[in-house]
Amino acid sequence: WLRESPSHRHIAYRHLPDVIPDVFNGYGEEAIHTGFKLVGYGRRTAKRKGFSDDPVIMAERVAFAQQAIHWSRERLYRQIFSDEVWAHGGAFTQEYVTVKLDGSDRYDPDCLQHKYSKLPAWMFHGTIVFGGKGPATFWEKEWGNMNSYKYDAIILTNIEQFLQVNPGRGFTWMQDHAPSHRSAETNRNLRLRHIPYIFWPQYSPDLNLIEHVWSWMKKYIQRWYYAVYYDALKISLVRLKQ
């Protein structure tokens, strides 16, 4: 049963009697743990992709952090933190996986952090500024993939309008290094729209405060939609968007 599907390795022992009752009904967590151990398996933290170890990128991160750590609260609130996120069902918090105790399958694809299908899923672009929610956009399916042209026409248009109705506030735009963000066309459009922006180090989601918002959102979905905890397909697009 364990090797039938990659998702089986990721299910917590305490949930097995509910998820697969015909196999594990009547067995407690300790008994299940002992049974797997007897055949050479145990629970371990699922490995996940880390930050870049490129010395240049690491130096950029350190330099930015050393500067930003001295920002005043007012300066922090004037920063427009932005990001896109794929909202979908499935587990979000730290994952554990059942692997062989001898570690021989530790880095097999099935044992790494489980990546759920992005269908059904909504891409959502949001901002936080001045301690609250700034301009936000559901990326509709008919718009297709985000590119520099669409990023300008939809996202940067909203930001320009936001700055126009909030003149003199000193707001500054922040974006990561997604392809549509770092293109020469986007840099030109930022200047044409008079949107002030700052340098942002690569591979630095941990420095973006909006990541906390995404975490809260995903934990909410994970908590209140238990049926999709192990299967992202068990929630409709309409319900997910709501």
Side-chain angles (χ1 to χ4, degrees):
W1 174 86
L2 183 67
R3 294 191 297 264
E4 282 181 354
S5 168
S7 65
H8 290 179
R9 291 179 179 266
H10 295 257
I11 299 177
Y13 290 159
R14 66 181 181 276
H15 293 157
L16 288 176
D18 298 323
V19 177
I20 316 291
D22 57 330
V23 177
F24 296 103
N25 190 34
Y27 294 95
E29 182 177 352
E30 184 175 352
I32 294 173
H33 174 84
T34 300
F36 276 115
K37 186 175 181 180
L38 288 173
V39 292
Y41 286 90
R43 297 291 282 177
R44 298 291 186 271
T45 304
K47 297 293 185 180
R48 62 181 63 190
K49 184 179 179 181
F51 295 109
S52 172
D53 57 359
D54 184 317
V56 174
I57 294 175
M58 292 173 68
E60 290 179 351
R61 282 169 46 81
V62 170
F64 180 87
Q66 289 175 337
Q67 177 189 21
I69 198 171
H70 298 295
W71 285 358
S72 64
R73 180 177 294 271
E74 180 186 2
R75 170 65 183 88
L76 186 69
Y77 274 29
R78 286 190 281 109
Q79 188 65 54
I80 306 175
F81 291 93
S82 75
D83 194 23
E84 304 97 22
V85 63
W86 276 103
H88 54 83
F92 165 66
T93 49
Q94 187 177 50
E95 292 183 43
Y96 293 85
V97 64
T98 301
V99 298
K100 290 183 178 179
L101 295 174
D102 62 12
S104 60
D105 62 350
R106 193 72 173 92
Y107 291 93
D108 286 356
D110 291 353
C111 300
L112 299 178
Q113 183 180 6
H114 193 66
K115 296 296 184 182
Y116 291 89
S117 168
K118 290 185 177 179
L119 294 175
W122 279 104
M123 188 169 76
F124 180 73
H125 185 281
T127 62
I128 54 174
V129 59
F130 210 68
K133 181 171 70 69
T137 304
F138 273 102
W139 195 264
E140 302 296 343
K141 297 298 184 181
E142 59 267 23
W143 296 349
N145 295 330
M146 181 183 290
N147 55 32
S148 300
Y149 171 78
K150 297 174 186 175
Y151 182 68
D152 176 62
I154 299 171
I155 303 301
L156 296 187
T157 295
N158 289 343
I159 300 305
E160 182 183 22
Q161 292 173 351
F162 173 77
L163 294 176
Q164 289 174 347
V165 299
N166 291 278
R169 303 291 296 275
F171 293 142
T172 305
W173 178 242
M174 164 268 148
Q175 59 183 11
D176 61 21
H177 289 261
S180 59
H181 301 175
R182 65 174 185 263
S183 69
E185 182 179 352
T186 293
N187 287 329
R188 182 172 59 252
N189 290 330
L190 285 168
R191 292 191 296 270
L192 291 174
R193 293 183 179 277
H194 304 288
I195 299 176
Y197 61 97
I198 64 169
F199 164 80
W200 193 259
Q202 302 177 63
Y203 299 101
S204 301
D206 56 319
L207 301 179
N208 189 349
L209 296 186
I210 204 170
E211 293 293 341
H212 296 287
V213 180
W214 301 156
S215 177
W216 298 332
M217 179 183 70
K218 292 176 180 179
K219 285 179 180 177
Y220 180 92
I221 296 174
Q222 176 177 286
R223 177 182 180 185
W224 294 104
Y225 295 89
Y226 181 81
V228 304
Y229 191 97
Y230 295 111
D231 187 352
L233 298 177
K234 290 184 178 179
I235 186 171
S236 68
L237 270 175
V238 173
R239 187 57 180 157
L240 181 61
K241 186 174 182 179
Q242 291 173 345

